[in-house]
Amino acid sequence: MFIPKPVSGNQKERFSAFATRGDSISKPAYATYLKLYKDAKVYTYSFRILHQDAVSK
C-alpha cells in the first residue's frame, strides 16, 4: 500500500482523484516514483510505502 505525492506538474489533487480511466502509468521496478501520462502531459509522483505484505513460501 502506498500514497503517491505529486513532484511535478501543477495539479494538487490526490492521485486517486486526478488519474482517470484511459490515463497510463509507469513505474520501474524498485523505484519510489511513478509517472502518470494524462492528456499528452507527464506527471511524476513520489510515494511513501505504508506497509508491505510479507510473502511466504
Side-chain angles (χ1 to χ4, degrees):
M1 184 174 194
F2 64 92
I3 300 174
K5 297 193 181 232
V7 294
S8 71
N10 295 340
Q11 110 295 343
K12 298 194 185 308
E13 295 182 67
R14 293 182 335 264
F15 178 83
S16 59
F18 187 62
T20 57
R21 184 173 289 211
D23 296 342
S24 297
I25 60 169
S26 67
K27 180 196 158 297
Y30 306 106
T32 57
Y33 67 91
L34 59 84
K35 293 188 179 196
L36 170 68
Y37 302 89
K38 179 181 191 68
D39 301 326
K41 293 184 182 178
V42 179
Y43 300 90
T44 303
Y45 285 81
S46 66
F47 56 87
R48 182 172 54 113
I49 298 173
L50 296 178
H51 68 83
Q52 201 165 9
D53 291 333
V55 178
S56 59
K57 293 184 179 187

